């Protein structure tokens, strides 16, 4: 399925990770510490990183929004690879995507990524577009197992009730957030976005790619 020679185009939909990347206010920013450097006369380069697990393109685990739920190491990786559909919406800033913003009967794939163009990875803003719980419920009814978005969260930054995350949990779906879809047209793709196997973690960064035949 993922014979790269068979694809006409490969899109990297992950933002560049650097100290410039935005994180939720109050979360841990990205920091890379160089411990050894060949430029400084060491025999190799060696570094460590300190940051939130909700960094850039990332997969949420169910224990992020459900008490007693599983960490990211327990997720079935097959959820994050396979047939995918990109849908562009024109939802206003600071709003949730509703069923009036796209045609639910046009959803044909089990993984759906929403392109909103309402957030840039290195520029934090609170008014990014999120998802409504109504959309999550409708997607589940047509067989969607994973939903993704090109913003930091499927719920608004101010949300404490996390209605969309709770709808995802209720329907046994999975979430990708922080994607970069600016250069990706609407259509059908193959997705690969595997999370790291971090024990009990509430999320993991992913290197997300879309492949087009």
């Amino acid at each position: 399925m993922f014979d790269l020679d068979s694809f006409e185009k490969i899109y990297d939909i992950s933002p560049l990770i650097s100290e410039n990347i935005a994180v939720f206010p109050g979360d841990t920013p990205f920091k890379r510490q160089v411990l050894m450097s060949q430029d400084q006369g060491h025999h190799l380069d060696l570094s460590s990183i300190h940051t939130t697990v909700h960094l850039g393109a990332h997969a949420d685990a169910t224990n992020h929004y459900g008490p007693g739920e599983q960490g990211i190491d327990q997720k079935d990786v097959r959820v994050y690879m396979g047939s995918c559909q990109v849908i562009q919406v024109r939802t206003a800033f600071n709003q949730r995507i509703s069923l009036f913003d796209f045609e639910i009967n046009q959803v044909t794939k089990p993984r759906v990524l929403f392109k909103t163009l309402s957030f840039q990875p290195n520029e934090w803003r609170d008014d990014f577009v999120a998802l409504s719980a109504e959309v999550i419920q409708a997607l589940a009814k047509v067989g969607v197992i994973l939903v993704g978005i090109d913003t930091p969260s499927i719920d608004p930054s101010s949300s404490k009730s996390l209605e969309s995350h709770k709808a995802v949990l209720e329907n046994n779906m999975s979430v990708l957030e922080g994607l970069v879809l600016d250069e990706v047209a609407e259509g059908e793709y193959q997705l690969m976005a595997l999370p790291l196997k971090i024990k009990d973690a509430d999320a993991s960064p992913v290197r997300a790619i879309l492949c087009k035949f």
Side-chain angles (χ1 to χ4, degrees):
M1 181 171 58
F2 282 96
D3 177 8
L4 295 183
D5 292 335
S6 66
F7 293 112
E8 177 183 331
K9 181 73 174 178
I10 297 175
Y11 298 91
D12 187 341
I13 57 171
S14 312
L16 178 67
I17 302 300
S18 77
E19 294 185 9
N20 295 322
I21 197 167
V23 300
F24 257 89
D27 207 346
T28 307
F30 177 81
K31 176 69 175 179
R32 174 174 173 259
Q33 180 182 6
V34 177
L35 305 176
M36 299 176 68
S37 170
Q38 294 173 75
D39 290 340
Q40 297 177 4
H42 297 112
H43 68 290
L44 47 73
D45 281 14
L46 185 67
S47 61
S48 62
I49 61 173
H50 182 62
T51 190
T52 175
V53 290
H54 298 265
L55 182 71
H58 65 275
D60 281 350
T62 50
N63 65 356
H64 177 47
Y65 41 83
E69 291 290 332
Q70 294 180 328
I72 199 67
D73 57 308
Q74 298 298 311
K75 293 290 293 185
D76 185 346
V77 295
R78 291 175 294 183
V79 172
Y80 304 100
M81 51 192 296
S83 299
C84 175
Q85 185 173 2
V86 173
I87 297 175
Q88 183 167 1
V89 294
R90 291 170 175 81
T91 310
F93 282 89
N94 213 33
Q95 299 296 315
R96 292 178 184 263
I97 299 169
S98 77
L99 290 173
F100 294 105
D101 294 319
F102 70 103
E103 297 290 337
I104 190 66
N105 59 9
Q106 293 181 349
V107 174
T108 60
K109 299 299 178 183
R111 299 164 188 85
V112 173
L113 308 182
F114 285 100
K115 178 180 178 179
T116 73
L117 300 178
S118 66
F119 193 85
Q120 292 299 314
N122 293 349
E123 301 174 12
W124 180 264
R125 57 185 301 163
D126 289 317
D127 60 352
F128 58 79
V129 172
L131 274 170
S132 67
E134 178 187 29
V135 165
I136 299 294
Q137 298 288 0
L139 292 172
K141 288 179 181 178
V142 296
V144 172
I145 61 172
L146 177 145
V147 61
I149 198 166
D150 61 350
T151 69
S153 178
I154 60 172
D155 278 299
S157 61
S158 60
S159 176
K160 297 295 188 290
S161 54
L162 302 177
E163 295 98 330
S164 291
H165 281 88
K166 296 297 175 59
V168 163
L169 180 62
E170 177 185 338
N171 289 284
N172 194 31
M173 295 168 70
S174 297
V175 179
L176 288 175
E177 298 168 329
L179 304 173
V180 178
L181 298 172
D182 301 44
E183 305 301 321
V184 180
E186 283 193 305
E188 299 177 0
Y189 300 86
Q190 291 290 319
L191 171 71
M192 176 76 80
L194 301 183
L196 300 175
K197 198 173 184 179
I198 308 172
K199 182 174 173 57
D200 297 332
D202 45 284
S204 168
V206 301
R207 183 67 178 266
I209 62 170
L210 290 175
C211 303
K212 185 77 170 178
F213 284 104

mmCIF file of all heavy atoms in Angstrom, residues 88-98 100-102 114-118 127-131:
data_model
loop_
_atom_site.group_PDB
_atom_site.id
_atom_site.type_symbol
_atom_site.label_atom_id
_atom_site.label_comp_id
_atom_site.label_asym_id
_atom_site.label_seq_id
_atom_site.Cartn_x
_atom_site.Cartn_y
_atom_site.Cartn_z
ATOM 1 N N GLN A 88 -11.732 20.984 2.337
ATOM 2 C CA GLN A 88 -11.512 22.384 2.675
ATOM 3 C C GLN A 88 -12.821 23.040 3.070
ATOM 4 O O GLN A 88 -13.849 22.850 2.408
ATOM 5 C CB GLN A 88 -10.887 23.153 1.508
ATOM 6 C CG GLN A 88 -10.582 24.605 1.851
ATOM 7 C CD GLN A 88 -9.698 25.296 0.831
ATOM 8 O OE1 GLN A 88 -9.311 24.705 -0.175
ATOM 9 N NE2 GLN A 88 -9.365 26.549 1.099
ATOM 10 N N VAL A 89 -12.777 23.802 4.157
ATOM 11 C CA VAL A 89 -13.949 24.552 4.600
ATOM 12 C C VAL A 89 -13.586 26.035 4.664
ATOM 13 O O VAL A 89 -12.406 26.403 4.707
ATOM 14 C CB VAL A 89 -14.438 24.068 5.982
ATOM 15 C CG1 VAL A 89 -14.955 22.644 5.909
ATOM 16 C CG2 VAL A 89 -13.329 24.185 7.030
ATOM 17 N N ARG A 90 -14.591 26.855 4.676
ATOM 18 C CA ARG A 90 -14.393 28.307 4.755
ATOM 19 C C ARG A 90 -15.086 28.862 5.991
ATOM 20 O O ARG A 90 -15.728 29.908 5.968
ATOM 21 C CB ARG A 90 -14.879 28.979 3.470
ATOM 22 C CG ARG A 90 -13.977 28.640 2.283
ATOM 23 C CD ARG A 90 -14.538 29.084 0.955
ATOM 24 N NE ARG A 90 -13.563 28.840 -0.114
ATOM 25 C CZ ARG A 90 -13.362 27.665 -0.695
ATOM 26 N NH1 ARG A 90 -14.053 26.601 -0.287
ATOM 27 N NH2 ARG A 90 -12.457 27.528 -1.656
ATOM 28 N N THR A 91 -14.946 28.148 7.073
ATOM 29 C CA THR A 91 -15.523 28.539 8.351
ATOM 30 C C THR A 91 -14.842 29.802 8.871
ATOM 31 O O THR A 91 -13.620 29.950 8.761
ATOM 32 C CB THR A 91 -15.354 27.399 9.369
ATOM 33 O OG1 THR A 91 -15.827 26.177 8.785
ATOM 34 C CG2 THR A 91 -16.120 27.679 10.644
ATOM 35 N N ALA A 92 -15.607 30.700 9.440
ATOM 36 C CA ALA A 92 -15.059 31.946 9.957
ATOM 37 C C ALA A 92 -14.162 31.688 11.167
ATOM 38 O O ALA A 92 -14.353 30.705 11.904
ATOM 39 C CB ALA A 92 -16.193 32.892 10.355
ATOM 40 N N PHE A 93 -13.192 32.567 11.363
ATOM 41 C CA PHE A 93 -12.326 32.477 12.535
ATOM 42 C C PHE A 93 -13.173 32.456 13.810
ATOM 43 O O PHE A 93 -14.240 33.067 13.885
ATOM 44 C CB PHE A 93 -11.364 33.665 12.578
ATOM 45 C CG PHE A 93 -10.201 33.536 11.630
ATOM 46 C CD1 PHE A 93 -10.297 34.011 10.331
ATOM 47 C CD2 PHE A 93 -9.022 32.924 12.029
ATOM 48 C CE1 PHE A 93 -9.238 33.891 9.449
ATOM 49 C CE2 PHE A 93 -7.955 32.794 11.154
ATOM 50 C CZ PHE A 93 -8.057 33.275 9.857
ATOM 51 N N ASN A 94 -12.652 31.731 14.806
ATOM 52 C CA ASN A 94 -13.278 31.656 16.126
ATOM 53 C C ASN A 94 -14.609 30.914 16.109
ATOM 54 O O ASN A 94 -15.419 31.057 17.022
ATOM 55 C CB ASN A 94 -13.483 33.052 16.719
ATOM 56 C CG ASN A 94 -13.351 33.054 18.234
ATOM 57 O OD1 ASN A 94 -12.582 32.289 18.793
ATOM 58 N ND2 ASN A 94 -14.094 33.910 18.891
ATOM 59 N N GLN A 95 -14.826 30.089 15.065
ATOM 60 C CA GLN A 95 -16.050 29.306 14.951
ATOM 61 C C GLN A 95 -15.704 27.818 14.850
ATOM 62 O O GLN A 95 -14.575 27.440 14.558
ATOM 63 C CB GLN A 95 -16.857 29.726 13.723
ATOM 64 C CG GLN A 95 -17.296 31.183 13.750
ATOM 65 C CD GLN A 95 -18.246 31.487 14.886
ATOM 66 O OE1 GLN A 95 -19.193 30.733 15.136
ATOM 67 N NE2 GLN A 95 -18.000 32.592 15.581
ATOM 68 N N ARG A 96 -16.704 27.002 15.090
ATOM 69 C CA ARG A 96 -16.565 25.562 14.893
ATOM 70 C C ARG A 96 -17.105 25.179 13.520
ATOM 71 O O ARG A 96 -18.125 25.727 13.076
ATOM 72 C CB ARG A 96 -17.339 24.783 15.960
ATOM 73 C CG ARG A 96 -16.789 24.891 17.391
ATOM 74 C CD ARG A 96 -17.682 24.100 18.328
ATOM 75 N NE ARG A 96 -17.315 24.196 19.727
ATOM 76 C CZ ARG A 96 -16.574 23.290 20.381
ATOM 77 N NH1 ARG A 96 -16.110 22.233 19.729
ATOM 78 N NH2 ARG A 96 -16.307 23.435 21.663
ATOM 79 N N ILE A 97 -16.453 24.241 12.865
ATOM 80 C CA ILE A 97 -16.967 23.691 11.608
ATOM 81 C C ILE A 97 -18.301 23.002 11.885
ATOM 82 O O ILE A 97 -18.415 22.193 12.816
ATOM 83 C CB ILE A 97 -15.970 22.694 11.002
ATOM 84 C CG1 ILE A 97 -14.635 23.375 10.689
ATOM 85 C CG2 ILE A 97 -16.546 22.048 9.743
ATOM 86 C CD1 ILE A 97 -13.521 22.406 10.345
ATOM 87 N N SER A 98 -19.297 23.323 11.094
ATOM 88 C CA SER A 98 -20.619 22.720 11.250
ATOM 89 C C SER A 98 -20.965 21.911 10.006
ATOM 90 O O SER A 98 -20.242 21.929 8.996
ATOM 91 C CB SER A 98 -21.683 23.800 11.475
ATOM 92 O OG SER A 98 -21.996 24.445 10.248
ATOM 93 N N PHE A 100 -23.100 22.627 7.965
ATOM 94 C CA PHE A 100 -23.425 23.539 6.876
ATOM 95 C C PHE A 100 -22.174 23.930 6.075
ATOM 96 O O PHE A 100 -22.295 24.525 4.998
ATOM 97 C CB PHE A 100 -24.075 24.815 7.429
ATOM 98 C CG PHE A 100 -25.414 24.578 8.064
ATOM 99 C CD1 PHE A 100 -25.544 24.584 9.447
ATOM 100 C CD2 PHE A 100 -26.538 24.333 7.293
ATOM 101 C CE1 PHE A 100 -26.780 24.357 10.038
ATOM 102 C CE2 PHE A 100 -27.780 24.109 7.873
ATOM 103 C CZ PHE A 100 -27.898 24.119 9.255
ATOM 104 N N ASP A 101 -20.998 23.573 6.582
ATOM 105 C CA ASP A 101 -19.746 23.989 5.946
ATOM 106 C C ASP A 101 -19.224 22.992 4.913
ATOM 107 O O ASP A 101 -18.277 23.292 4.185
ATOM 108 C CB ASP A 101 -18.671 24.216 7.010
ATOM 109 C CG ASP A 101 -18.995 25.394 7.908
ATOM 110 O OD1 ASP A 101 -19.460 26.415 7.377
ATOM 111 O OD2 ASP A 101 -18.792 25.292 9.129
ATOM 112 N N PHE A 102 -19.798 21.812 4.854
ATOM 113 C CA PHE A 102 -19.393 20.808 3.869
ATOM 114 C C PHE A 102 -20.534 19.812 3.715
ATOM 115 O O PHE A 102 -21.485 19.813 4.502
ATOM 116 C CB PHE A 102 -18.103 20.099 4.287
ATOM 117 C CG PHE A 102 -18.247 19.186 5.477
ATOM 118 C CD1 PHE A 102 -18.304 17.807 5.323
ATOM 119 C CD2 PHE A 102 -18.329 19.706 6.765
ATOM 120 C CE1 PHE A 102 -18.450 16.966 6.411
ATOM 121 C CE2 PHE A 102 -18.475 18.877 7.868
ATOM 122 C CZ PHE A 102 -18.532 17.500 7.694
ATOM 123 N N PHE A 114 -9.478 18.196 7.830
ATOM 124 C CA PHE A 114 -10.111 19.463 7.495
ATOM 125 C C PHE A 114 -9.068 20.555 7.288
ATOM 126 O O PHE A 114 -8.237 20.806 8.164
ATOM 127 C CB PHE A 114 -11.100 19.888 8.585
ATOM 128 C CG PHE A 114 -12.380 19.092 8.566
ATOM 129 C CD1 PHE A 114 -12.571 18.055 9.457
ATOM 130 C CD2 PHE A 114 -13.372 19.382 7.637
ATOM 131 C CE1 PHE A 114 -13.751 17.315 9.443
ATOM 132 C CE2 PHE A 114 -14.549 18.657 7.614
ATOM 133 C CZ PHE A 114 -14.750 17.618 8.518
ATOM 134 N N LYS A 115 -9.146 21.182 6.131
ATOM 135 C CA LYS A 115 -8.270 22.289 5.771
ATOM 136 C C LYS A 115 -9.024 23.590 6.027
ATOM 137 O O LYS A 115 -9.991 23.905 5.340
ATOM 138 C CB LYS A 115 -7.870 22.168 4.296
ATOM 139 C CG LYS A 115 -6.994 23.290 3.771
ATOM 140 C CD LYS A 115 -6.656 23.049 2.295
ATOM 141 C CE LYS A 115 -5.822 24.164 1.703
ATOM 142 N NZ LYS A 115 -5.480 23.897 0.276
ATOM 143 N N THR A 116 -8.558 24.356 7.024
ATOM 144 C CA THR A 116 -9.255 25.592 7.400
ATOM 145 C C THR A 116 -8.451 26.845 7.075
ATOM 146 O O THR A 116 -9.020 27.931 6.995
ATOM 147 C CB THR A 116 -9.544 25.612 8.908
ATOM 148 O OG1 THR A 116 -8.330 25.835 9.642
ATOM 149 C CG2 THR A 116 -10.179 24.307 9.370
ATOM 150 N N LEU A 117 -7.129 26.703 6.960
ATOM 151 C CA LEU A 117 -6.239 27.845 6.706
ATOM 152 C C LEU A 117 -6.409 28.942 7.754
ATOM 153 O O LEU A 117 -6.321 30.133 7.459
ATOM 154 C CB LEU A 117 -6.469 28.412 5.298
ATOM 155 C CG LEU A 117 -6.233 27.437 4.139
ATOM 156 C CD1 LEU A 117 -6.555 28.115 2.810
ATOM 157 C CD2 LEU A 117 -4.792 26.925 4.142
ATOM 158 N N SER A 118 -6.652 28.539 9.005
ATOM 159 C CA SER A 118 -6.906 29.521 10.073
ATOM 160 C C SER A 118 -5.804 29.581 11.117
ATOM 161 O O SER A 118 -5.974 30.216 12.158
ATOM 162 C CB SER A 118 -8.245 29.202 10.767
ATOM 163 O OG SER A 118 -8.177 27.964 11.459
ATOM 164 N N ASP A 127 -8.065 32.409 17.953
ATOM 165 C CA ASP A 127 -9.336 32.348 17.226
ATOM 166 C C ASP A 127 -9.331 31.355 16.071
ATOM 167 O O ASP A 127 -10.052 31.521 15.087
ATOM 168 C CB ASP A 127 -9.724 33.738 16.722
ATOM 169 C CG ASP A 127 -8.683 34.341 15.772
ATOM 170 O OD1 ASP A 127 -7.590 33.750 15.631
ATOM 171 O OD2 ASP A 127 -8.977 35.404 15.182
ATOM 172 N N PHE A 128 -8.522 30.303 16.182
ATOM 173 C CA PHE A 128 -8.491 29.305 15.113
ATOM 174 C C PHE A 128 -9.823 28.556 15.017
ATOM 175 O O PHE A 128 -10.611 28.506 15.967
ATOM 176 C CB PHE A 128 -7.334 28.322 15.325
ATOM 177 C CG PHE A 128 -7.360 27.578 16.646
ATOM 178 C CD1 PHE A 128 -8.184 26.477 16.843
ATOM 179 C CD2 PHE A 128 -6.519 27.961 17.690
ATOM 180 C CE1 PHE A 128 -8.200 25.782 18.044
ATOM 181 C CE2 PHE A 128 -6.519 27.283 18.902
ATOM 182 C CZ PHE A 128 -7.367 26.193 19.074
ATOM 183 N N VAL A 129 -10.047 27.966 13.859
ATOM 184 C CA VAL A 129 -11.268 27.187 13.606
ATOM 185 C C VAL A 129 -11.163 25.832 14.296
ATOM 186 O O VAL A 129 -10.111 25.181 14.275
ATOM 187 C CB VAL A 129 -11.484 27.012 12.095
ATOM 188 C CG1 VAL A 129 -12.626 26.046 11.809
ATOM 189 C CG2 VAL A 129 -11.746 28.364 11.440
ATOM 190 N N ALA A 130 -12.244 25.406 14.907
ATOM 191 C CA ALA A 130 -12.307 24.099 15.572
ATOM 192 C C ALA A 130 -13.435 23.271 14.941
ATOM 193 O O ALA A 130 -14.005 23.656 13.923
ATOM 194 C CB ALA A 130 -12.527 24.283 17.066
ATOM 195 N N LEU A 131 -13.731 22.152 15.558
ATOM 196 C CA LEU A 131 -14.787 21.259 15.067
ATOM 197 C C LEU A 131 -15.961 21.226 16.033
ATOM 198 O O LEU A 131 -15.780 21.346 17.249
ATOM 199 C CB LEU A 131 -14.241 19.833 14.906
ATOM 200 C CG LEU A 131 -13.541 19.482 13.603
ATOM 201 C CD1 LEU A 131 -12.861 18.131 13.726
ATOM 202 C CD2 LEU A 131 -14.529 19.463 12.446
#
